[in-house]
Amino acid sequence: MRRETAVWLLRLIRDEPPPVAAVPPRCWESVADAARAAGVGALVAHRVLGGAARLPEPAARRFREFLDLSRRRSALFLGEADRALRALDAAGVPAVVLKGVGLAGAVYRPPELREFRDIDILVEPAALEAALGALGRAGFGPAVAPEVVELHRRYHFHLQLERAGAPPLELHWSAARPDDPYRLEAELLLSHPRKDGPLPRPSDEAQLLHVAVSELRVGFTDLRRLVDLDRVVRANPRLDWRAAAALARERGLAPALRAAVELAAELLGTPTGTAFAALRPLGARRRRLDELGFRGFPLGLPPSDRPTARHLVRLHLDPRPARAALRLLRLPAFERKRLKLAHVSPAARLAGFLKRAGWLAAIAVSLPVLRFRPHSSPLPLTTSASPPSSERPGAGTAGTRGRDA
């Protein structure tokens, strides 16, 4: 994504009057492309089509298409999620809806402003069998073979279900794989669910941790999840940052949550309230990430660089960097079992190992010589969020001068 396009895209996402008239006509096509690629096309469309300024007709037509498609998909996804929840409730299985479908209508109003790929529903691990039975009676069946279902249940954290004419549904019983060091238990996400929208969802404090886990998994390359964090924070001025910070520390997620809040504040102007006081600053970790273009990761990091970016971020944010490096070399148990089940040849497995070793070598080289630069310099953005009073603000970055977390 070009710098100019990224700047206008972020300004149009922010919770402020959209500067539609100020966007140069030559930028509208690239802004529309970037919004669609980032999964925020409907949100941007709602802002620009509601403005008084006149858009170039080709761009206006594309934005109307974004919004119309999202409106139809929203009705379908929310309807199917409600159908699944009714089936689970009838079977006495407590459940909440995660991510986009759970946030639509609660912190995104109207709900079609949040785009979806699938429906994510979470149940307790002990209720998984009952949940599968209840959803099966409602017409939802596994999208994979029986032997792969068992593989998911033992080594993974969700299973994709399908129903004729319906969008994909992912049934979760955790937020991470059993061997993932970053834990976010189903019990936490299911406790004190919020019901201020069309569907039950986790508490706002738990939502923040789920954003941190999701971003950590993809190396902070998902702009849409940062927008989720922004919407949650804006919708709840009384959000308990100290409780969220305590939960994050207990699960080794405090640095990831701090990083997510900093990026949201810097890129989207998210009001942080007492977040910076509750979460320890990243200090040298953030400075190292900034040297590698961290602020640009959610703004169009090339897909070919995502594996390296993901593990690079984990290397910096993990309290035990050696553990993150070893996880890169050794596939998680789910992936190893899946390759074995698919009868992948030893030569292909060796090729995969060498590829991962290459990523690790690239990371090792990147740290001292700073060649891993998706974006050569920070974007010229301002933020409405103030850095902690105990710190001097960094150059366009919130909270980079303090101690390591």
Side-chain angles (χ1 to χ4, degrees):
M1 188 187 303
R2 294 185 306 171
R3 180 198 301 264
E4 186 179 30
T5 300
V7 170
W8 288 117
L9 176 63
L10 293 175
R11 290 187 66 185
L12 290 167
I13 293 172
R14 286 175 178 229
D15 193 20
E16 59 189 24
V20 175
V23 181
R26 68 178 183 278
C27 288
W28 278 113
E29 286 297 314
S30 58
V31 167
D33 289 339
R36 181 180 182 182
V40 294
L43 179 62
V44 173
H46 180 76
R47 290 198 173 280
V48 301
L49 294 175
R54 185 176 181 84
L55 275 69
E57 183 51 35
R61 183 168 57 252
R62 291 189 65 189
F63 282 121
R64 285 194 294 268
E65 291 172 355
F66 291 168
L67 205 51
D68 181 62
L69 176 61
S70 185
R71 190 175 291 119
R72 287 185 278 114
R73 286 174 61 85
S74 178
L76 174 63
F77 277 62
L78 289 171
E80 286 299 316
D82 182 67
R83 177 190 181 96
L85 286 174
R86 288 178 182 275
L88 292 171
D89 184 63
V93 178
V96 292
V97 184
L98 302 175
K99 297 192 285 189
V101 178
L103 295 173
V107 301
Y108 287 87
R109 296 190 178 96
E112 61 262 23
L113 300 190
R114 180 51 157 90
E115 298 178 26
F116 318 119
R117 284 193 295 265
D118 51 30
I119 300 166
D120 298 275
I121 293 180
L122 175 77
V123 300
E124 293 180 352
L128 179 57
E129 196 68 44
L132 286 171
L135 292 173
R137 291 188 291 274
F140 295 94
V144 294
E147 59 271 21
V148 182
V149 170
E150 184 58 29
L151 196 67
H152 279 73
R153 293 175 64 171
R154 292 186 62 186
Y155 301 106
H156 205 42
F157 63 102
H158 65 75
L159 176 66
Q160 183 170 311
L161 307 179
E162 59 186 5
R163 189 177 78 84
L169 185 152
E170 286 190 353
L171 180 63
H172 292 245
W173 51 93
S174 178
R177 290 172 176 166
D179 55 354
D180 197 310
Y182 304 102
R183 304 302 303 141
L184 189 54
E185 305 87 350
E187 291 77 11
L188 173 64
L189 294 167
L190 285 163
S191 64
H192 309 296
R194 294 197 62 139
K195 299 180 181 180
D196 52 347
L199 302 169
R201 60 188 179 92
S203 70
D204 287 343
E205 291 75 19
Q207 293 273 14
L208 299 181
L209 269 65
H210 196 242
V211 169
V213 166
S214 300
E215 285 288 17
L216 200 58
R217 186 176 299 123
V218 299
F220 284 79
T221 59
D222 190 347
L223 178 63
R224 181 167 46 182
R225 292 298 277 149
L226 292 181
V227 177
D228 285 345
L229 185 150
D230 176 77
R231 300 293 116 173
V232 168
V233 172
R234 292 183 188 277
N236 185 2
R238 297 183 178 181
L239 194 146
D240 191 341
W241 283 105
R242 293 192 179 281
L247 292 171
R249 284 193 298 272
E250 292 170 5
R251 290 154 181 82
L253 290 168
L257 180 57
R258 172 78 189 213
V261 173
E262 286 188 7
L263 281 183
E266 294 160 17
L267 300 179
L268 304 171
T270 304
T272 57
T274 59
F276 288 154
L279 292 159
R280 294 179 63 185
L282 296 173
R285 292 175 177 176
R286 179 61 200 267
R287 290 196 295 274
R288 289 193 296 267
L289 286 172
D290 282 338
E291 289 171 341
L292 303 171
F294 185 54
R295 294 183 81 204
F297 283 15
L299 298 171
L301 186 69
S304 60
D305 288 337
R306 286 175 186 250
T308 311
R310 178 173 66 250
H311 293 289
L312 187 74
V313 171
R314 285 196 172 203
L315 190 65
H316 281 300
L317 297 181
D318 197 310
R320 295 160 55 190
R323 176 178 64 177
L326 289 175
R327 280 183 56 79
L328 173 55
L329 285 177
R330 180 176 171 80
L331 283 176
F334 175 74
E335 301 294 346
R336 298 198 306 271
K337 299 294 184 180
R338 189 168 62 173
L339 291 176
K340 183 177 180 180
L341 188 64
H343 303 292
V344 174
S345 68
R349 295 189 199 182
L350 177 61
F353 174 81
L354 293 176
K355 184 177 182 179
R356 296 191 300 279
W359 291 342
L360 187 60
I363 290 173
V365 172
S366 298
L367 298 180
V369 303
L370 305 181
R371 289 181 179 175
F372 186 76
R373 284 176 171 267
H375 298 269
S376 59
S377 60
L379 293 168
L381 304 174
T382 58
T383 173
S384 60
S386 299
S389 58
S390 62
E391 299 176 303
R392 290 179 54 200
T397 332
T400 62
R401 300 279 183 184
R403 302 169 297 169
D404 274 359

